[in-house]
Amino acid sequence: QVQLVESGGGSVQPGGSLRLSCTASGGTFGIYAVAWYRQAPGKQREFVGSVFANNNTRYADSLKGRFTISRDESKNTVDLQLNSLKVEDTAVYFCGCERCWDFRDYWGQGTQVTVSL
């Protein structure tokens, strides 16, 4: 059974940075695209960005330039670098892999990012 696990969340002040990591236990990301989403309290889950097997990336327009997704095949991780964080970036961040192993969708449990003074 493949499981996705996020790590790296925490609390930072506005303008700070965090690096989140998504690992897959029981499987390799290999050919699959991996996405990051976030969900703030009282709001719907929001697409952050994704990285494809060829390392091409796609981002939500509102987040371009501040967030960067990268994948490391040797570590089997997909990272999300968060820079110039704002209070409104506070959310639980999830990684997901849709139609991946056995054509199923996989999601991690999420990691909390809190941006406050």
Side-chain angles (χ1 to χ4, degrees):
Q1 181 73 13
V2 178
Q3 289 186 320
L4 302 187
V5 179
E6 303 93 339
S7 61
S11 296
V12 295
Q13 294 185 339
S17 298
L18 282 173
R19 189 174 185 87
L20 310 183
S21 187
C22 174
T23 62
S25 63
T28 57
F29 286 124
I31 62 172
Y32 301 122
V34 180
W36 283 94
Y37 284 77
R38 68 183 184 181
Q39 188 165 18
K43 295 187 177 181
Q44 291 187 334
R45 189 171 294 194
E46 174 188 23
F47 173 75
V48 172
S50 57
V51 60
F52 300 90
N54 60 4
N55 288 318
N56 284 348
T57 54
R58 182 168 66 96
Y59 299 95
D61 288 341
S62 61
L63 301 175
K64 285 180 181 178
R66 294 196 299 122
F67 293 2
T68 304
I69 296 176
S70 60
R71 61 195 296 160
D72 187 328
E73 296 296 336
S74 65
K75 297 180 181 178
N76 197 35
T77 60
V78 173
D79 291 348
L80 176 63
Q81 178 69 38
L82 311 174
N83 294 329
S84 303
L85 283 163
K86 304 176 181 180
V87 172
E88 53 265 40
D89 294 320
T90 295
V92 178
Y93 285 71
F94 301 86
C95 67
C97 194
E98 297 179 85
R99 295 182 296 282
C100 293
W101 306 273
D102 298 324
F103 299 100
R104 295 171 57 190
D105 297 344
Y106 292 83
W107 293 94
Q109 81 289 349
T111 186
Q112 176 72 46
V113 171
T114 302
V115 186
S116 63
L117 294 170

